[in-house]
Amino acid sequence: MSNHAILENNTALYRRAAISDQPNILADIYQDDVNIAIWQNELSELATQQTNNLRQSSEHLNMVLAATPDNVMAQLMENHALADKPALCQHIQILLDMFCTLFELQRAGLRLTLLDKAMCPKFHVDKIPCRLVSTLGGPATEWLAFEDVDYTKLGLASVGLSDDESGVYLHENAIQQMQSGDVALLKGSGWQNNQDAALVHRSPHVANNEKRLVITLDFID
C-alpha cells in the first residue's frame, strides 16, 4: 500500500517535523504526531575550530561510551585526539546532559565517529525508540518527511535498487538535509505507536578528502 493510501485510510498516522532555532523544540518529540525534532543550532566559534582541526588532522576516530553527564567530559578528554579540544567536548557534554534530562536517563550510549564515507547510504528507519544525531562538522544527515515516503520500498523491498531507482521517495526535491551543528531527535519504529511511521533518513555522500564528525546518543538502560 502506498503512503498516500495509508494517509487516506488512517489520518491519525500522519507524522510531521518540529523545527526551531530554540533548544526546547526537542521536547516536541513526545508529541504523537512528531517523528523528528530538529534544533537548528550552530557550534561556538571555538568548538567549530576544534572540530575542523580534528577533521583535518585525524585519520580515524570511533569512540563508543556509556556515559553520564558527570563523567562524559573526562572520558572524552582521555582520547588523545580530543585532549586539547575542551570546547568541543563541552558541547558534547551539553548534548548528553540534554538527552538524559529529556528522557530521564542516568546515562546514555554515545558514539563519536569520524567518517570519510556514508555509513548508512540508503534510506532506512531505526528499529529503536529514539536517537539523537548531530553532525558536528561536514555534510549532515539527509531525511524524508513522512508524506514523501513510500514505506513499502524500504529495506529488502527495494530489491537492491538504489534510492533514486526504488521509488522510496516521491520526487527528488523531497530529500531534506540538516545543517552542520543541528541537533535532531529521530523517532524510530521502537517508539510506542510509531511502528509504521519512523523517521526515514540516510548518511550523506562524502566527497573525496572530506570527513564528517558525527555524534549519536542512544538509550542503553
Side-chain angles (χ1 to χ4, degrees), residues 48-61 79-82 84-85 88 112-114 136 211 213:
T48 298
Q49 291 175 355
Q50 294 177 0
T51 296
N52 290 337
N53 177 266
L54 180 65
R55 292 167 58 213
Q56 294 164 6
S57 63
S58 298
E59 290 295 322
H60 178 77
L61 179 66
N79 187 293
H80 68 89
L82 298 171
D84 60 346
K85 299 174 177 62
L88 173 59
L112 182 66
T113 313
L114 194 62
L136 305 174
K211 296 185 179 73
L213 182 64

Side-chain angles (χ1 to χ4, degrees), residues 190-208:
W191 188 284
Q192 187 175 5
N193 298 323
N194 200 58
Q195 295 87 343
D196 300 317
L199 193 280
V200 176
H201 61 287
R202 70 181 181 187
S203 302
H205 171 74
V206 181
N208 290 336

Side-chain angles (χ1 to χ4, degrees), residues 127-139:
K127 297 179 180 180
I128 57 174
C130 191
R131 171 173 287 154
L132 182 147
V133 177
S134 182
T135 301
L136 305 174

Side-chain angles (χ1 to χ4, degrees), residues 16-19 25-29 34-39 183-187:
R16 64 181 177 88
I19 304 173
I25 193 65
L26 296 178
D28 281 20
I29 200 67
V34 170
N35 69 359
I36 180 171
I38 302 175
W39 169 29
V183 179
L185 292 174
L186 281 56
K187 192 177 285 183

